[in-house]
Amino acid sequence: RSRKNRLPSLVVVPRSLVFNWLSECKRFAPRLRVHDYSTTSRNANEFESADVVLTTFGILQRDLEALCARRFDYVILDEAQMIKNDRTRSAKAAMALKAEHRLALSGTPVENHLGELFSILGFLNPGMAGSKTSALARDLSPDNAALVAEAVRPLILRRTKSQVLRSLPKLQEKV
């Protein structure tokens, strides 16, 4: 689509990451028009002039009606483990968003049980895992857990600590 007809993308982050996203957008994609929809003076009418709309999980819940009234090109959840319980208001709000594409970023997609992963997968591809999968995932046998792990492997990009360490500069200490 031409830039004129392109839908904005919505990025939902914890409050503590708003500044990081704003500064990273400015640093790596300075031509992107970023609208900060996390302030007290937020205005949904400015979405049309934005390439990226940045908001928080809390505002997503509070302004759900205004956000669900719009369609987005991408909806990106940073720290997607915030929706790991599919019965929470955050998870239900994220599922209600309308988007052409969905992405979920998380360093910890599973902390306690596979139901957490299925909640995130349900956001990414509604209905993919079935309606009862989240509850069933809490009680998987080791054999079934291995099958599930194999099934979701193509959907997850994972880097190990050793892979990440190679791309980091040498540690420098300043006293």
Side-chain angles (χ1 to χ4, degrees):
R1 295 182 196 172
S2 71
R3 185 176 179 122
K4 182 178 166 185
N5 296 327
R6 191 177 311 151
L7 296 170
S9 291
L10 178 68
V11 181
V12 185
V13 302
R15 165 60 65 211
S16 61
L17 294 182
V18 170
F19 177 77
N20 291 1
W21 270 87
L22 289 170
S23 63
E24 296 295 305
C25 285
K26 187 177 285 187
R27 179 177 173 198
F28 293 106
R31 295 178 68 197
L32 278 181
R33 297 169 298 175
V34 180
H35 176 61
D36 184 359
Y37 191 73
S38 69
T39 65
T40 55
S41 61
R42 57 190 177 272
N43 182 355
N45 292 328
E46 297 178 26
F47 287 9
E48 279 77 26
S49 63
D51 296 311
V52 175
V53 175
L54 189 61
T55 195
T56 66
F57 283 95
I59 291 171
L60 171 61
Q61 291 175 38
R62 285 191 290 282
D63 292 8
L64 184 60
E65 190 174 318
L67 292 167
C68 282
R70 305 198 177 263
R71 187 152 194 84
F72 297 96
D73 188 17
Y74 280 84
V75 170
I76 302 166
L77 303 184
D78 191 357
E79 300 296 337
Q81 69 272 14
M82 298 287 287
I83 67 161
K84 67 183 181 181
N85 181 342
D86 58 0
R87 292 172 290 212
T88 64
R89 288 178 58 201
S90 286
K92 289 175 182 176
M95 305 284 183
L97 294 169
K98 299 176 195 121
E100 300 293 320
H101 313 282
R102 295 167 177 245
L103 296 174
L105 310 173
S106 176
T108 54
V110 180
E111 290 179 288
N112 300 309
H113 54 79
L114 284 174
E116 297 170 352
L117 176 62
F118 281 102
S119 179
I120 295 170
L121 290 174
F123 162 76
L124 293 170
N125 194 353
M128 173 188 158
S131 59
K132 301 276 186 198
T133 310
S134 181
L136 293 173
R138 290 171 173 76
D139 301 319
L140 282 179
S141 69
D143 290 337
N144 287 343
L147 288 172
V148 169
E150 194 63 34
V152 300
R153 186 166 286 120
L155 304 173
I156 297 176
L157 172 64
R158 181 175 184 264
R159 296 189 311 164
T160 63
K161 188 174 184 177
S162 62
Q163 292 169 316
V164 173
L165 287 177
R166 287 191 301 232
S167 64
L168 295 175
K170 291 197 180 236
L171 177 67
Q172 295 180 1
E173 291 187 36
K174 291 183 181 181
V175 180

